[in-house]
Amino acid sequence: MDPAHFTGKAGSRELIQASRQTLATFAAVVRFEAGARNHWHSHAGGQLLHVIEGEGWVQSRGQAPQRIRLEDTVTADPGEEHWHGAGRLGPMTHLAVAIGETRWLEESTAPAET
């Protein structure tokens, strides 16, 4: 993972790299260590996230952060600015599938956890 687009420690294992053959589809298993998150970003064709370990957060621009837990699936519409990552107490791993180019934006702010 490019550390320029993440706060904290995160890593990934690519399952599908975007190419002409995959029609710009990207799929990876992404693990965020406790407190790690990515910066605000969007995907030209949208994104699907499916949590396979732990719990964390996702937030779309203009909306409140939403907690995501094991087996939750969330989506971001094409061009929707959002971020996602682990909570403070433990790691979170998700399957991420995105279509089209990723546009990276500014650093996100961790939600207040209760």
Side-chain angles (χ1 to χ4, degrees):
M1 311 276 351
D2 184 345
H5 304 302
F6 289 78
T7 300
K9 187 175 178 180
S12 72
R13 181 171 51 92
E14 292 182 2
L15 302 175
I16 300 173
Q17 176 61 48
S19 71
R20 289 181 151 202
Q21 292 77 22
T22 60
L23 301 174
T25 301
F26 171 83
V29 174
V30 182
R31 179 181 170 86
F32 295 86
E33 295 301 327
R37 63 190 180 281
N38 53 29
H39 293 192
W40 287 99
H41 63 283
S42 65
H43 305 277
Q47 185 176 49
L48 176 140
L49 303 172
H50 179 76
V51 180
I52 59 175
E53 175 195 25
E55 61 181 52
W57 296 92
V58 63
Q59 182 178 12
S60 294
R61 184 84 72 183
Q63 297 181 16
Q66 173 187 349
R67 186 174 294 277
I68 52 177
R69 294 180 169 87
L70 182 64
E71 298 187 8
D72 284 350
T73 300
V74 295
T75 59
D77 290 334
E80 181 179 338
E81 295 178 0
H82 66 283
W83 67 265
H84 33 98
R88 289 182 302 170
L89 302 178
M92 187 267 297
T93 304
H94 62 49
L95 171 65
V97 180
I99 308 295
E101 184 178 347
T102 300
R103 184 174 67 107
W104 290 102
L105 303 162
E106 76 276 10
E107 184 176 352
S108 58
T109 303
E113 295 188 49
T114 57

